[in-house]
Amino acid sequence: MAQKTNAQERVLMKGNEVLAEAAMRAGCRFFFGYPITPQTELAAYMAKRLPLIGGTFLQAESEVAAINMVYGAAAAGARVMTSSSSPGVSLKSEGVSYMAGADLPGVIVNVQRGGPGLGGIQPSQSDYFQATRALGHGDYFMPVLAPSTVQEMADLIYDAFDLADEYRTPAMILADGMIGQMMEPVQLPEERDPSTLPAKPWATSGTHMERKHNVVNSLYLSPEKLEETNRARFERYEQIKEKHQRAELMMCDDAEIVVVAFGAASRIARTAVRDARAAGIKAGLLRPITLWPYPTKAIDELCEGSARAFLSVELNMGQMVDDVRLAVSGRASVDFYGRTGGVLPTPEEVFAAIQKVAAGLEPEAAAAGGVAGGVLPHPIDRKSTYERGE
């Protein structure tokens, strides 16, 4: 059983269950949620295990109810989490905005499925905009971490709780149905004693006749006070952007073409990059681990080095590619390749996309208007005339 292992042992576990086990080891003692495929195993695991360690699991009557329970537990100073999949996370968006407005920490897990609407239960990355452009109304952001392995499911949920507490903000794990459902060996993190976690003097946990009442609230009737509060919050966001950008680089030291992919798409892109190297194409992989803050520093370094082109590979119609464009800022070409609706691209398709980008870098091919290498099996082209240099 996972609960009997120590930090040095490796166990075979499903991604969704690892998220639950690691959250409890990180000190989470409250979970409120509602079942939806493909993340239901996470809630089921919590339902079985959390009461055994003195925690509280509650299946709410709806996603809206669940996120407001998270708000309440967070206001009382607890480490608390909720999880869902794409449509359910949309329903939680108002409550997440309220948490951000009240400066409350908490972790939201989104194991994405295809959309829009009910879409399908297959893996997708179509919630990127929703997660990175603030989940809900108002001026705010939140840390968004994107695991690409089951091991990272365990590691990053620890980081999410720590970031949430340090900066008093909601934080999100943005996974997908593929990583949530797959099983891999994982080394579980050490258990934390919740009583040893940093104190939260702002929490509504009772005065004990020692201090004034704390008030947790997101309503500011004075526009000047709301502006002051928002500006202070954005100062914390700048600290997060400065300190907590994370990315993995593979074969990028001399890469002329940098494939950018996260989560499940990065696993496919990794194989395609190796195939490109074998074919003599100087390709590399940049895998964002933090989607917000986006790893712009890594892109800056690549643009200052050998990178001449970037290729964003995603499980959607093109969302992260906009952040790649912003970070590149005209210093290199930016292309996109994606599959959507739960269809996963093959390494061969991504390799063909790399070949097409490589052909575009050759003066002869550009002059002739031709394309060397393979034709994309299923192209989705979102390049603008600005990127083409037209």
Side-chain angles (χ1 to χ4, degrees), residues 113-354:
R113 56 188 276 166
L118 287 176
I121 64 173
Q122 300 304 315
S124 175
Q125 295 177 333
S126 56
D127 299 352
Y128 180 92
F129 279 155
Q130 181 192 57
T132 61
R133 296 305 188 269
L135 179 60
H137 60 282
D139 270 343
Y140 81 96
F141 293 96
M142 62 181 175
V144 180
L145 307 175
S148 68
T149 64
V150 174
Q151 181 64 59
E152 280 194 333
M153 292 284 223
D155 299 338
L156 294 184
I157 202 156
Y158 249 56
D159 296 340
F161 275 110
D162 287 346
L163 283 170
D165 279 356
E166 180 178 357
Y167 294 98
R168 289 186 62 181
T169 177
M172 173 174 279
I173 298 291
L174 190 66
D176 61 70
M178 174 178 161
I179 300 172
Q181 294 292 322
M182 72 187 305
M183 297 184 74
E184 288 183 328
V186 59
Q187 182 176 305
L188 293 168
E190 294 183 2
E191 294 191 44
R192 288 178 176 169
D193 181 349
S195 66
T196 65
L197 295 172
K200 297 177 178 177
W202 48 264
T204 56
S205 52
T207 67
H208 304 288
M209 307 300 290
E210 297 174 352
R211 59 166 171 79
K212 294 182 179 179
H213 290 282
N214 285 337
V215 176
V216 170
N217 178 46
S218 68
L219 176 64
Y220 296 87
L221 296 180
S222 164
E224 291 78 14
K225 181 61 177 176
L226 179 56
E227 181 181 51
E228 176 187 338
T229 304
N230 281 336
R231 289 188 181 279
R233 191 173 296 126
F234 268 73
E235 289 177 4
R236 297 204 305 274
Y237 295 157
E238 288 302 315
Q239 294 175 29
I240 297 172
K241 287 195 284 186
E242 179 62 30
K243 297 179 181 179
H244 297 287
Q245 294 184 24
R246 294 178 60 183
E248 178 196 6
L249 298 177
M250 170 188 155
M251 300 182 182
C252 284
D253 289 346
D254 64 342
E256 296 183 351
I257 301 171
V258 178
V259 178
V260 187
F262 70 95
S266 71
R267 299 172 70 110
I268 301 165
R270 193 179 299 270
T271 300
V273 166
R274 290 196 181 101
D275 291 343
R277 284 284 177 169
I281 300 173
K282 290 183 177 180
L285 173 67
L286 187 157
R287 178 175 70 89
I289 298 173
T290 54
L291 302 181
W292 194 93
Y294 199 72
T296 56
K297 294 178 182 179
I299 290 181
D300 285 341
E301 293 178 3
L302 292 170
C303 288
E304 292 169 2
S306 56
R308 301 169 59 195
F310 290 80
L311 173 65
S312 186
V313 176
E314 307 173 49
L315 307 184
N316 56 46
M317 292 291 290
Q319 297 188 19
M320 182 181 67
V321 64
D322 288 348
D323 279 334
V324 179
R325 291 187 180 116
L326 287 171
V328 170
S329 190
R331 293 172 290 179
S333 65
V334 178
D335 291 87
F336 169 77
Y337 184 77
R339 300 297 298 269
T340 187
V343 178
L344 296 177
T346 65
E348 292 77 16
E349 290 177 35
V350 178
F351 175 47
I354 295 172

